[in-house]
Amino acid sequence: MSETLFEKIINKEIPSDIIYEDDQSIVIKDINPQAPVHLLIIPKKPIPMLSKATESDKELLGHLMLVAGKLSKLLILDDTFNIVINNGENAGQTIFHLHLHLLSGKSFNWLPA
Ligand code: AMP
């Protein structure tokens, strides 16, 4: 399998705006931001999409959620942000390496009435 764009970013083969990094994850600024703060929380393990994660990824998935909380404190987001995961092409996923979108500074009025 060829490397995804995010693997190239993780391996520093292509540049990105890195906000946070630890042994299991990296957080970069989205190149096409949809909100004043738009970050991508990316596991270093190349899971293609959320629905392909397995029991063995349980700890890693929890870790990604905790990173979101850490970023909220780090960037003083006032505990106000949205997390979005696009799963599959028909749901808008374009890069097949799991990632969480963290969006803040904009109200999305998303929830159906
Ligand atoms: P998705 O459509 O959920 O797969 O999200 C992919 C995201 O990656 C989009 O929001 C893109 O704007 C973003 N993206 C694409 N290329 C880059 C890049 N080189 N650096 C940072 N973000 C990127």
Side-chain angles (χ1 to χ4, degrees):
M1 278 258 291
S2 62
E3 265 191 340
T4 63
L5 175 73
F6 289 161
E7 279 174 280
K8 291 187 179 126
I9 284 176
I10 290 161
N11 295 331
K12 316 277 162 52
E13 290 160 18
I14 60 171
S16 67
D17 212 336
I18 300 171
I19 298 295
Y20 171 88
E21 183 169 9
D22 61 32
D23 58 332
Q24 297 182 80
S25 68
I26 190 166
V27 179
I28 62 168
K29 282 191 184 174
D30 196 293
I31 206 167
N32 181 23
Q34 303 301 310
V37 177
H38 185 173
L39 306 177
L40 301 172
I41 303 172
I42 307 168
K44 290 188 172 172
K45 179 179 176 182
I47 301 166
M49 60 178 92
L50 182 62
S51 58
K52 302 282 187 209
T54 66
E55 279 294 310
S56 66
D57 297 315
K58 205 185 269 186
E59 198 270 347
L60 174 59
L61 296 178
H63 179 77
L64 300 175
M65 294 290 173
L66 293 176
V67 168
K70 253 187 206 174
L71 291 167
S72 176
K73 287 190 192 73
L74 194 71
L75 304 175
I76 318 169
L77 301 181
D78 204 21
D79 285 340
T80 305
F81 58 87
N82 296 90
I83 293 290
V84 174
I85 299 175
N86 296 324
N87 190 91
E89 203 174 338
N90 292 334
Q93 185 175 5
T94 57
I95 297 181
F96 288 82
H97 181 134
L98 174 65
H99 51 284
L100 283 60
H101 295 259
L102 184 154
L103 301 136
S104 185
K106 181 176 167 183
S107 189
F108 287 97
N109 301 319
W110 166 75
L111 283 175

